[in-house]
């Protein structure tokens, strides 16, 4: 019997699924069977069917379901998935486990990160408009990377169409407290609206040449006759100060954006078809935040306030993306595809902070421009070989590069002198920093699936694969400051110190006997890192009478990583080298009992790991740019071993409605925890805790309400709830500085609830969704020296979206966010440490889709 199969996208799937069994009855030899059909990309039924047929506990969101929520980025849409929370608007925690225990895959391949110190990928970088769907795999299978505990987030880009496709969309948005209100800003470059600096913030050319090759800027002296002369330092200083410092009030305009997508399919012959799709997106948004911050110290009476600050900041975020996919089908058994993706996210922020710092009433100013970018190219193929018992082969090569550019971050400080502000005489009175990061990744994967079908209706699948990932990362930070020359006449004029910052650091004052440029880059601010990860896995899956499915396999990973922290201050100083060289076998087993046509019970058991990040292994101190706290690594860190247990019962009412009830239990050996060390200034480090335990239950239901009667049939209810508990036991020898040696894991919410009520009449011209989200209070910062832990308190988020096709090919949509205007609040004990409101958001968009989607 000859069977023709329809080829799939050449993404490397992370699980194997059962091949439908051939009929055990008498068969008739046929000359051939041709199967034809089409399905809409991102279809709800397809993704629910994938969730049902997967060997592991899986959540699946198709493009249709994501579009109904109106979420613009992946981070926003994942907070609606059972047991998932989003921290800082970008980092996803799966089942209360942070970014260390969650990996992100693009079409099945790992991707690099633009984060200075972490391998984690911020998910707000990915616009949902470019995705066909998102898979969240919560239980482990050997086809997944071994660094797993919370889950794997698999992002799938858009499929190529089989017919002409065009889509254009434009939007305008309003943010309460920001749009058409006064914010703050500064004079930037002429191309800021594009998200690319036009060179105004770039390191001056003469200074860049002077420090090229890792040279440290030193003034000329008898001990250093080749150093920069006073005239050269003056020229460098003029170039550094040319961008200016002043922050001014300005009226903020509306949010805006557009996106365009086009594609088509072409018949190249009887057995060949070419599909092409391309898309681009641009969006800009503004956000003005008024935040209260308070700091406390432990005393015999509890917590005493030691500092209070008010932060006013206006941020402008610019997102741009470009995407292409070219797919070639050769017959029905072969597909080759080339996908390219460019994502850029730029944040421009002006910030003023007023309050007490170091027991001194002060005002701090900041101008910060950050460009994050991810460029990825993927070439892959999917092949079915009928002559080899329908052996399926998948291969994929990924070349990706992530980068961050932070040109000319400017910070300055004024201290209160009576009722006046005076330019600070402290060492942190001013600084200007240029930061740059490049993270390159190459990944090559091969996978194979060999199916066997038996006359009794049973089937046996053998799967295997191997792969290699190599990463090279380089991070450079250079910091400069203006210091007043000894005996400068500027110090003799008391009124001078009360001038605005632009007049104090004016060109006339930057001279050999005035303000002199000095480099204050730390000896450990620059590093290089590399990693080679080789993997091999084998898996066998047996399905008995379409009722019982057993899966057993193992993955072997060999990791070689190294980080070299080098000093630009002293080229003769030996670099600080740290690394991890280890190998491990990671077994996994899964069982599914399909006890009826609509219901099944799953059980999964696996062993996984978590490795230290690059800089966590190095003793070289550095300032964490995200936390703005000095940090030092620990070369004695060992990898974490995790035992995962999952149990879930699933019931499928239809091809779009389902119910699931599950439980999970995870036990950690040597989990890596971030710790505060004793000292006069905050210092972070890392240590292996003795153990940790994470467990919980999950409930998820998505159901049309037609069982109440015909009038209710257009309504759908989506509800999910997760109850999560965790406990980490710290080693007193390394963590005695911590207030609590036994506590919940940092970032873990004890409960997460989502409610979604949808109205979707059968004619399909209108739909509306009301969405509620709440994540329980979680530890944001671990308490030290007797101080309680700092918690991020829970808040209620209520969102709404409706869409209406008001004319052929035309649709408008209204998106409302944060309707309850929730307050974000951090507390220590019963006292607040941070408070601000998110502000309501409104967005109106119009979309044009001529013709029909494939």
């Amino acid at each position: 019997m000859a069977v023709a199969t329809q080829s799939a996208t050449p993404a490397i799937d992370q699980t194997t699924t059962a091949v439908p069994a051939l009929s055990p009855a008498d068969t008739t030899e046929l000359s051939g069977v041709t199967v034809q059909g089409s399905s809409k990309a991102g279809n709800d039924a397809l993704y629910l069917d994938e969730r049902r047929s997967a060997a592991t506990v899986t959540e699946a969101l198709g493009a249709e379901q994501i579009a109904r929520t109106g979420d613009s980025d992946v981070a926003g849409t994942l907070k609606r998935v059972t047991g998932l929370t989003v921290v800082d608007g970008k980092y996803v925690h799966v089942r209360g486990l942070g970014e260390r225990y969650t990996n992100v895959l693009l079409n099945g391949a790992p991707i690099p990160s633009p984060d200075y110190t972490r391998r984690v990928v911020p998910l707000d970088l990915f616009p949902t408009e470019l995705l066909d769907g998102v898979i969240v795999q919560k239980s482990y299978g050997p086809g997944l990377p071994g660094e797993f505990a919370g889950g794997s987030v698999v992002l799938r880009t858009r499929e190529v169409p089989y017919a002409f496709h065009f889509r254009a969309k434009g939007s305008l948005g309003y943010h309460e407290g920001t749009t058409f209100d006064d914010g703050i800003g500064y004079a930037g470059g002429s191309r800021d609206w594009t998200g690319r600096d036009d060179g105004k913030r770039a390191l001056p050319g003469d200074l860049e040449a002077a420090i090229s090759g890792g040279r440290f800027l030193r003034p000329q002296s008898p001990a250093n006759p080749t150093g920069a002369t006073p005239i050269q330092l003056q020229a460098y200083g003029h170039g550094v100060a040319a961008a200016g410092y002043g922050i001014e009030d300005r009226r903020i305009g509306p949010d805006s954006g557009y996106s365009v997508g086009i594609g088509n399919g072409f018949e190249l012959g009887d057995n060949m078809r070419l599909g092409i799709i391309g898309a681009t997106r641009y969006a800009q948004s503004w956000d003005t935040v008024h935040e209260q911050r308070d700091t406390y110290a432990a005393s015999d009476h509890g917590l005493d306030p030691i500092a209070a600050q008010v932060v006013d900041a206006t941020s402008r975020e610019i997102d741009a993306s470009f995407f292409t996919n070219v797919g070639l089908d050769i017959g029905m058994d072969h597909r080759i595809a080339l996908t390219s993706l460019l994502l850029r996210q730029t944040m421009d922020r002006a910030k003023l902070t007023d309050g007490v710092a170091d027991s001194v009433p002060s005002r701090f100013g900041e101008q910060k421009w950050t460009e994050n970018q991810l460029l990825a190219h993927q070439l892959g193929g999917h092949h079915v070989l009928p002559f080899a018992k329908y052996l399926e082969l998948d291969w994929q090569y990924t070349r990706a590069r992530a980068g961050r550019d932070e040109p000319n971050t400017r910070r300055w400080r004024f201290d209160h002198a009576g009722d006046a502000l005076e330019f600070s005489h402290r060492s942190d009175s001013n600084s200007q920093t240029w930061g740059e990061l490049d993270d390159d990744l190459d990944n090559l994967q091969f996978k194979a699936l060999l199916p066997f079908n038996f006359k009794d209706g049973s089937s046996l699948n053998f799967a295997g694969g191997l792969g290699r990932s190599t990463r090279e990362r380089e991070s450079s930070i250079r910091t400069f400051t203006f210091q007043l020359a000894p005996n400068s006449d500027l110090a003799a004029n008391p009124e001078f110190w009360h001038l605005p910052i632009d007049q104090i650091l004016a060109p006339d004052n930057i001279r050999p006997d005035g303000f002199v440029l000095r480099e204050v880059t730390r000896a450990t601010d620059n590093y290089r890192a590399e990693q080679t990860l080789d993997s091999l896995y084998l898996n066998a899956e047996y399905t008995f009478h379409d009722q019982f499915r057993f899966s057993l396999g193992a993955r072997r990973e060999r990791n070689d990583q190294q980080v070299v922290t080098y000093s630009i201050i002293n080229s003769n100083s030996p670099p600080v080298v740290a690394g991890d060289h280890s190998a491990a076998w990671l077994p996994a087993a899964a069982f599914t009992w399909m006890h009826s046509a609509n219901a099944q019970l799953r059980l999964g058991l696996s062993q996984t790991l978590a490795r230290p990040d690059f800089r966590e292994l190095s003793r070289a101190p550095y300032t964490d740019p995200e936390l703005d706290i000095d940090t030092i690594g620990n070369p004695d860190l060992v990898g974490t071993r995790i035992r995962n247990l999952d149990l879930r019962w699933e019931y499928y009412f239809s091809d779009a409605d389902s119910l699931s009830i599950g439980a999970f239990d995870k036990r950690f050996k040597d989990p890596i925890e971030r710790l505060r060390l004793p000292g006069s200034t905050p210092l972070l480090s890392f240590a292996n805790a003795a153990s940790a335990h994470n467990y919980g239950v999950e409930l998820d239901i998505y159901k049309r309400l037609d069982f109440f009667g015909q009038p209710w049939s257009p309504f759908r209810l989506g509800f999910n709830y997760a109850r999560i508990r965790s406990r980490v036991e710290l080693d007193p020898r390394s963590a005695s500085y911590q207030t609590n040696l036994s506590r919940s894991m940092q970032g873990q919410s004890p409960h997460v609830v989502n409610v979604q009520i949808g109205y979707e009449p059968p004619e399909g011209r209108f739909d509306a969704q009301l969405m509620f989200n709440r994540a329980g209070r979680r530890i944001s910062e671990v308490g030290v020296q007797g101080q309680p832990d700092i918690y991020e308190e829970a808040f209620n988020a209520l969102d709404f979206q409706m869409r209406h096709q008001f004319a052929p090919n035309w649709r408008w949509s209204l998106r409302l966010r944060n309707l309850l205007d929730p307050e974000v609040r951090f507390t220590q004990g019963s006292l607040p440490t941070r408070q601000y409101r998110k502000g309501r958001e409104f967005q109106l968009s119009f979309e044009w889709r001529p013709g029909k989607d494939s």
Side-chain angles (χ1 to χ4, degrees):
M1 180 177 180
V3 178
T5 60
Q6 186 175 358
S7 60
T9 304
I12 305 295
D13 290 333
Q14 301 307 305
T15 60
T16 60
T17 57
V19 174
L22 300 178
S23 172
D26 293 338
T27 61
T28 301
E29 186 74 22
L30 301 177
S31 59
V33 176
T34 300
V35 179
Q36 291 183 335
S38 64
S39 60
K40 187 176 181 181
N43 181 267
D44 287 350
L46 285 177
Y47 274 82
L48 186 63
D49 185 64
E50 179 170 353
R51 174 188 184 228
R52 182 176 185 172
S53 61
T56 58
V57 175
T58 299
E59 310 291 355
L61 297 174
E64 285 185 352
Q65 185 175 352
I66 295 172
R68 283 195 294 270
T69 68
D71 296 314
S72 59
D73 60 67
V74 171
T77 202
L78 285 180
K79 73 179 181 182
R80 310 191 191 283
V81 177
T82 312
L84 271 64
T85 55
V86 177
V87 177
D88 296 333
K90 62 180 73 174
Y91 302 121
V92 172
H93 287 211
V94 181
R95 293 172 164 176
L97 297 173
E99 57 267 17
R100 182 186 303 280
Y101 303 107
T102 302
N103 55 61
V104 178
L105 307 174
L106 180 64
N107 294 325
I111 47 178
S113 169
D115 191 292
Y116 273 128
T117 58
R118 301 169 181 85
R119 291 193 294 254
V120 61
V121 179
L123 288 178
D124 63 335
L125 187 63
F126 292 88
T128 56
E129 292 184 8
L130 302 184
L131 298 181
D132 182 72
V134 181
I135 302 294
V136 181
Q137 297 189 218
K138 292 182 174 178
S139 66
Y140 181 70
L144 291 167
E147 289 193 88
F148 178 103
S152 287
V153 178
V154 184
L155 309 178
R156 292 181 178 171
T157 54
R158 291 280 186 180
E159 301 272 7
V160 295
Y162 287 92
F164 178 73
H165 159 88
F166 182 83
R167 174 180 176 273
K169 181 179 180 180
S171 63
L172 285 175
Y174 172 85
H175 194 161
E176 186 180 35
T178 299
T179 308
F180 306 131
D181 282 347
D182 287 335
I184 57 177
Y186 62 95
S190 60
R191 296 203 310 262
D192 282 2
W193 68 273
T194 67
R196 284 185 176 272
D197 179 51
D198 63 358
K200 184 174 182 178
R201 301 175 179 85
L203 199 66
D206 53 356
L207 178 57
E208 184 177 20
I211 63 173
S212 63
R215 289 176 290 177
F216 191 81
L217 182 66
R218 302 180 189 278
Q220 189 180 65
S221 67
N224 184 37
T226 61
T229 66
I231 299 302
Q232 288 175 321
L233 289 174
Q234 177 175 305
Y236 301 156
H238 287 172
V240 166
Y245 302 90
I247 288 180
E248 59 190 15
D249 293 336
R250 58 176 54 178
R251 184 59 59 94
I252 305 301
D255 300 344
S256 60
Y258 75 86
S259 61
V260 177
I262 187 171
N264 206 351
F266 306 93
E267 293 285 353
L268 302 182
D270 293 339
N271 293 312
M272 296 185 67
R273 171 182 284 271
L274 179 70
I276 302 174
I277 188 172
T280 183
R281 175 180 179 268
Y282 170 87
Q284 70 162 353
S285 60
W286 301 83
D287 187 18
T288 296
V289 175
H290 180 79
E291 179 178 339
Q292 175 70 41
R293 295 185 179 181
D294 297 279
T295 306
Y296 308 93
S299 70
D300 294 337
H301 308 288
L303 291 176
D304 294 332
I306 58 173
Q309 296 178 327
V310 175
V311 180
D312 290 289
T314 297
S315 301
R316 181 189 192 186
E317 187 172 289
I318 302 165
D319 293 275
S321 59
F322 302 90
F323 166 75
T324 61
N325 187 8
V326 180
L328 177 65
D329 288 324
I330 305 173
M332 301 191 69
D333 296 329
H334 305 277
R335 167 172 284 193
I336 298 174
L338 174 63
T339 302
S340 294
L341 179 70
L342 173 63
L343 305 177
R344 288 185 56 83
Q345 184 182 79
T346 299
M347 190 276 293
D348 186 17
R349 183 178 70 194
K351 183 171 73 172
L352 292 174
T353 303
D354 288 279
V356 176
D358 305 323
S359 303
V360 178
S362 305
R363 167 175 287 185
F364 297 85
E366 180 187 81
Q367 301 171 3
K368 187 173 184 178
W369 174 276
T370 303
E371 297 179 25
N372 287 332
Q373 177 172 298
L374 173 65
L375 175 63
H377 303 288
Q378 295 184 311
L379 177 65
H382 174 81
H383 310 276
V384 179
L385 308 179
F387 60 86
K389 296 186 179 296
Y390 296 97
L391 174 68
E392 295 186 32
L393 299 176
D394 290 276
W395 57 274
Q396 185 185 72
Y397 172 69
T398 300
R399 171 65 173 164
R401 181 174 189 175
R404 171 178 289 195
D405 189 18
E406 287 190 358
N408 205 355
T409 297
R410 285 153 276 179
R411 296 185 176 96
W412 60 92
R413 173 176 180 168
F414 279 75
D415 296 330
H416 280 274
D419 295 331
L421 282 170
E422 179 180 272
F423 187 63
S424 180
H425 299 284
R426 294 170 174 261
S427 60
D428 61 348
S429 65
N430 69 95
S431 68
Q432 292 183 236
T433 300
W434 281 261
E436 189 172 0
L437 168 77
D438 289 311
D439 192 353
D440 295 339
L441 179 143
D442 288 270
N443 176 261
L444 182 62
Q445 300 185 50
F446 295 94
K447 296 195 176 185
L449 173 67
L450 182 61
F452 292 93
N453 300 280
F454 306 105
K455 290 184 178 182
D456 63 355
S458 301
S459 64
L460 177 62
N461 298 331
F462 291 105
L466 53 88
R468 164 170 282 199
S469 288
T470 60
R471 297 185 67 172
E472 294 182 356
R473 165 180 277 228
E474 184 159 4
S475 175
S476 172
I477 297 176
R478 306 297 292 265
T479 303
F480 302 86
T481 187
F482 287 103
Q483 298 177 356
L484 191 66
N487 303 317
S488 172
D489 60 351
L490 295 176
N493 180 8
E495 297 301 320
F496 170 78
W497 302 104
H498 298 285
L499 295 174
I501 181 66
D502 271 332
Q503 295 182 35
I504 291 177
L505 296 181
D508 289 346
N509 299 326
I510 300 174
R511 58 180 192 263
D513 60 347
F515 283 103
V516 181
L517 187 70
R518 293 285 187 265
E519 182 168 7
V520 291
T521 302
R522 296 178 59 168
T524 54
D525 277 348
N526 300 270
Y527 75 92
R528 293 186 299 269
E530 58 186 26
Q531 179 188 32
T532 299
L533 180 65
D534 294 315
S535 62
L536 167 71
Y537 84 90
L538 296 170
N539 191 73
E541 183 180 295
Y542 177 65
T543 302
F544 179 70
H545 289 299
D546 288 328
Q547 187 174 15
F548 300 100
R549 181 169 59 196
F550 306 88
S551 179
L552 180 64
R555 182 184 185 91
R556 178 174 172 80
E557 289 190 345
R558 179 176 180 83
N559 180 60
D560 292 289
Q561 73 181 52
Q562 178 178 273
V563 57
V564 179
T565 306
Y566 58 92
S567 172
I568 63 170
I569 298 177
N570 183 4
S571 59
N572 296 322
S573 174
V576 180
V577 180
D580 174 62
H581 308 281
S582 59
W585 278 101
L586 306 172
F591 167 73
T592 304
W593 176 29
M594 296 161 279
H595 59 87
S596 77
N598 298 322
Q600 58 188 21
L601 180 69
R602 297 182 181 277
L603 177 66
L605 180 64
S606 62
Q607 180 85 33
T608 56
L609 53 81
R611 300 183 180 95
D613 244 328
F614 287 128
R615 299 212 76 181
E616 292 176 354
L617 290 166
S618 175
R619 284 200 181 279
Y622 63 95
T623 300
D624 189 310
E626 297 293 333
L627 303 175
D628 197 27
I629 297 178
D630 287 346
T631 306
I632 186 169
N634 178 1
D636 296 325
L637 287 177
V638 298
T640 304
R641 303 287 290 194
I642 307 136
R643 190 223 65 189
N644 307 280
L645 177 64
D646 282 274
L647 178 68
R648 186 160 88 173
W649 178 77
E650 301 169 353
Y651 187 86
Y652 295 88
F653 303 99
S654 67
D655 61 357
D657 299 331
S658 66
L659 165 70
S660 67
I661 302 172
F664 61 91
D665 185 277
K666 299 175 182 292
R667 297 182 182 272
F668 301 74
K669 181 182 178 182
D670 301 320
I672 299 171
E673 286 287 304
R674 183 187 294 121
L675 307 175
R676 289 280 292 268
L677 299 180
S680 58
T681 58
L683 181 64
L684 294 179
S685 189
F686 306 90
N688 288 108
S691 64
H693 188 197
N694 173 264
Y695 58 99
V697 295
E698 297 175 331
L699 169 67
D700 179 90
I701 184 169
Y702 191 67
K703 181 72 173 70
R704 188 178 293 274
L705 302 183
D706 50 2
F707 55 87
F708 286 129
Q710 184 60 32
W712 289 89
S713 61
F715 290 92
R716 283 185 182 273
L717 172 66
F719 173 82
N720 64 63
Y721 175 80
R723 178 68 173 172
I724 304 169
R725 300 290 297 273
S726 69
R727 183 60 54 186
V728 58
E729 303 293 339
L730 303 179
D731 188 339
R733 293 170 298 179
S734 60
S736 58
Y737 189 54
Q738 312 304 301
T739 300
N740 301 308
L741 296 181
S742 178
R743 55 167 171 78
S744 297
M745 300 182 78
Q746 189 172 358
Q748 177 255 309
S749 293
H751 66 266
V752 184
V753 62
N754 284 283
V755 181
Q756 183 172 336
I757 300 174
Y759 178 71
E760 304 163 25
E763 63 270 15
R765 296 176 61 87
F766 174 85
D767 66 75
Q769 309 287 329
L770 183 67
M771 296 156 285
F772 172 84
N773 170 266
R774 178 183 175 89
R777 69 195 302 256
R778 55 199 176 205
I779 296 178
S780 171
E781 186 175 336
V782 175
V784 295
Q785 286 187 320
Q787 301 179 50
D789 299 327
I790 296 178
Y791 280 85
E792 180 182 359
E793 298 294 334
F795 62 84
N796 298 323
L798 185 65
D799 304 329
F800 175 78
Q801 172 168 283
M802 64 178 178
R803 304 181 298 175
H804 178 225
Q805 184 179 341
F806 63 93
N809 308 323
W810 284 93
R811 179 166 64 185
W812 66 269
S813 61
L814 176 65
R815 189 183 77 179
L816 311 178
R817 290 290 183 266
N818 304 319
L819 287 173
L820 302 178
D821 189 21
E823 182 183 48
V824 179
R825 193 165 180 263
F826 295 76
T827 61
Q828 190 169 30
S830 60
L831 301 175
T833 61
R834 292 179 62 193
Q835 300 176 84
Y836 65 92
R837 291 198 173 272
K838 294 183 72 69
R840 299 178 180 91
E841 299 177 43
F842 309 88
Q843 184 186 85
L844 181 65
S845 61
F846 288 87
E847 184 178 10
W848 180 43
R849 290 188 181 221
K852 295 182 178 180
D853 290 330
S854 60

